[in-house]
Amino acid sequence: MYTQGLDQAGKGGPDTREAESRAQLDAFQARIDAEEKIEAKDWMPEAYRRTLIRQISQHAHSEIIGMQPEGNWLTRAPTMKRKAILLAKVQDEAGHGLYLYSAAETLGVSRDEMVGDLLSGKAKYSSIFNYPTLTWADIGAIGWLVDGAAIMNQIPLCRCSYGPYSRAMIRVCKEESFHQRQGYELMLTLCRGTDEQKAMAQDALNRFWWPALMMFGPNDAASSHSAQSMAWKIKRFSNDELRQKFIDVTVPQAEFLGLSVPDAALWFNENTEHYEHSDIDWQEFFDVISGNGPCNRQRLAKRRKAHDDGAWVREAARAYADKKAAAEAAA
Amino acid sequence: MTRQEWPLYEVFIRTRSGLSHRHAGSVHAADDEMALNNARDTYTRRSEGVSIWVVRSDRIVASDPAETSAFFDPAEDKIYRHPTFYDIPDEVENL
């Protein structure tokens, strides 16, 4: 998910075009066109490096912030089984964040720098995690819709031209399927329950449907640096293509649950064999991205507090390691 | 204010005995023992490993990608190292 095109690549960086010769750029593009993977220490255009750092770190931040909406229900899960599942899922999100930070670090950016950018609000993360989880059904809707949208986006990223990112995505995708299936099963259980439970599931779908569609980022016409990312084979499909694919597979899943997708204009076009849908409220998307979603401030404040509260642990561990190393050197 | 981030370690995992260790990614840790624990928690949550190696990233000595062709050049003109270099009549079997 998370490749929403949240800010421009290359802003503020030094102009390195002169240092990069035409021959170097052509040779690089030829490697990409031949489907060769680019590895960490290989020569790459500065803009390619910056685009990847931006995209991978935003992706990592999204995983880390993404723990919060679900963590909100950890202590209130209805059964031990659901609690254990949710705990495993939230741990996976932390793991995904770590795989991705580690992939981004191969490009020469430090972990501290990335975390600093998240905490200062300079770096962006996926808009979806700025929505609240008001009921238990939201946990199901997130697994089913949010992780479902993430999978759509992430599967092509497994073939991304940058080796470390592609390998991290393969690892992530292997785990995402569990996330989506547990979410759908949770929704199914609610939909087969009491009227109230089913209404709760419908309400969660109502609130998460549009934000899930926004996860794919702006319409192609408005997506500023898609073309370059496509040429570099960082991106393989456009935002609108992926969004359409997601809608096409998800609507029948909603029907199976007996729930209705909150889009009165939704219809299946027999000629194209795709669903047609209403326009997305892009104003809402840009509001959330620019910091004014329902939970933006709360998410960042929580992340900052967790980081600050953990500072003494990081320092103590370091001091202990230094002390031990000194003792070993003296022995 | 934290001083400096924990050192970076590269993680290698043997997925089952009989296979060699393979690079999985990296973790930060204050010391070796923590690196092993963090590697386990990060890369083997679903029993993906039976053995883990961690090594400080700054201790790895690597060939330079910019010098790849020169570095591997000595092997390039020695095609007689490959079995297909040798013409053996079809009648000769088991060779």
Side-chain angles (χ1 to χ4, degrees), chain A residues 41-42 91-92 95-96 98-99 102 105 110-112 171 175 178 311 313-315 317-322 324, chain B residues 1-8 13 23-28 30-31 33-34 42-43 45-46 48 64-66:
Chain A
K41 308 282 182 200
D42 293 353
Q91 277 182 320
D92 274 354
H96 296 177
L98 295 176
Y99 306 157
S102 125
E105 283 172 276
S110 76
R111 181 79 59 99
D112 274 358
R171 202 171 273 282
E175 299 176 355
F178 142 60
V313 180
R314 293 191 295 277
E315 281 165 27
R318 182 140 194 140
Y320 175 70
D322 289 349
K324 231 173 38 175
Chain B
M1 189 63 207
T2 45
R3 272 189 293 165
Q4 204 193 336
E5 64 184 25
W6 289 340
L8 190 65
I13 293 171
H23 186 243
S26 58
V27 291
H28 285 275
D31 58 29
E33 192 189 339
M34 190 194 283
T42 308
Y43 293 102
R45 284 192 305 284
R46 289 177 175 76
E48 292 97 333
D64 179 357

Side-chain angles (χ1 to χ4, degrees), chain A residues 24-99:
Chain A
Q24 275 177 312
L25 293 169
D26 288 348
F28 179 80
Q29 191 60 48
R31 289 190 67 191
I32 300 269
D33 293 342
E35 295 287 335
E36 263 184 57
K37 294 285 182 208
I38 307 302
E39 293 296 340
K41 308 282 182 200
D42 293 353
W43 186 88
M44 60 186 83
E46 209 37 47
Y48 177 83
R49 181 189 306 276
R50 280 203 304 268
T51 299
L52 278 169
I53 289 178
R54 176 182 51 82
Q55 179 169 329
I56 303 173
S57 62
Q58 279 175 3
H59 194 160
H61 299 328
S62 303
E63 302 283 357
I64 297 300
I65 295 290
M67 290 192 280
Q68 290 187 37
E70 292 181 293
N72 183 34
W73 282 89
L74 276 174
T75 56
R76 290 174 289 164
T79 65
M80 274 308 285
K81 183 185 107 180
R82 292 287 177 197
K83 185 173 185 160
I85 292 170
L86 186 57
L87 200 55
K89 181 174 189 295
V90 173
Q91 277 182 320
D92 274 354
E93 307 301 354
H96 296 177
L98 295 176
Y99 306 157

Side-chain angles (χ1 to χ4, degrees), chain A residues 67-258:
Chain A
M67 290 192 280
Q68 290 187 37
E70 292 181 293
N72 183 34
W73 282 89
L74 276 174
T75 56
R76 290 174 289 164
T79 65
M80 274 308 285
K81 183 185 107 180
R82 292 287 177 197
K83 185 173 185 160
I85 292 170
L86 186 57
L87 200 55
K89 181 174 189 295
V90 173
Q91 277 182 320
D92 274 354
E93 307 301 354
H96 296 177
L98 295 176
Y99 306 157
L100 288 159
Y101 281 131
S102 125
E105 283 172 276
T106 63
L107 291 158
V109 62
S110 76
R111 181 79 59 99
D112 274 358
E113 221 175 317
M114 288 185 279
V115 171
D117 284 350
L118 171 65
L119 299 180
S120 73
K122 185 181 161 209
K124 302 269 198 281
Y125 55 86
S126 178
S127 56
I128 192 74
F129 301 116
N130 290 312
Y131 291 88
T133 42
L134 303 177
T135 72
W136 172 249
D138 290 5
I139 299 304
I142 286 179
W144 170 38
L145 300 172
V146 175
D147 290 282
I151 290 171
M152 273 306 160
N153 230 324
Q154 288 171 344
I155 285 181
L157 286 174
C158 295
R159 295 192 292 128
C160 161
S161 61
Y162 187 57
Y165 191 27
S166 136
R167 292 192 288 274
M169 291 319 304
I170 290 170
R171 202 171 273 282
V172 168
C173 283
K174 276 188 191 159
E175 299 176 355
E176 288 287 4
S177 175
F178 142 60
H179 296 181
Q180 193 189 16
R181 289 171 68 105
Q182 67 81 34
Y184 192 76
E185 193 226 40
L186 198 164
M187 292 298 267
L188 199 56
T189 307
L190 288 174
C191 290
R192 287 173 174 166
T194 64
D195 288 349
E196 273 167 303
Q197 286 172 317
K198 189 161 182 183
M200 192 192 269
Q202 180 65 56
D203 170 63
L205 172 58
N206 292 350
R207 281 180 291 106
F208 276 92
W209 176 254
W210 293 106
L213 297 190
M214 292 176 198
M215 286 174 62
F216 295 93
N219 283 136
D220 292 349
S223 182
S224 44
H225 47 269
S226 279
Q228 181 61 75
S229 285
M230 294 273 229
W232 278 331
K233 298 192 197 274
I234 293 173
K235 223 176 141 120
R236 299 272 179 172
F237 298 98
S238 77
N239 295 352
D240 288 336
E241 283 172 323
L242 291 168
R243 185 167 18 242
Q244 186 64 54
K245 240 173 145 174
F246 173 74
I247 294 170
D248 290 344
V249 304
T250 309
V251 172
Q253 293 169 354
E255 283 166 1
F256 185 86
L257 292 172

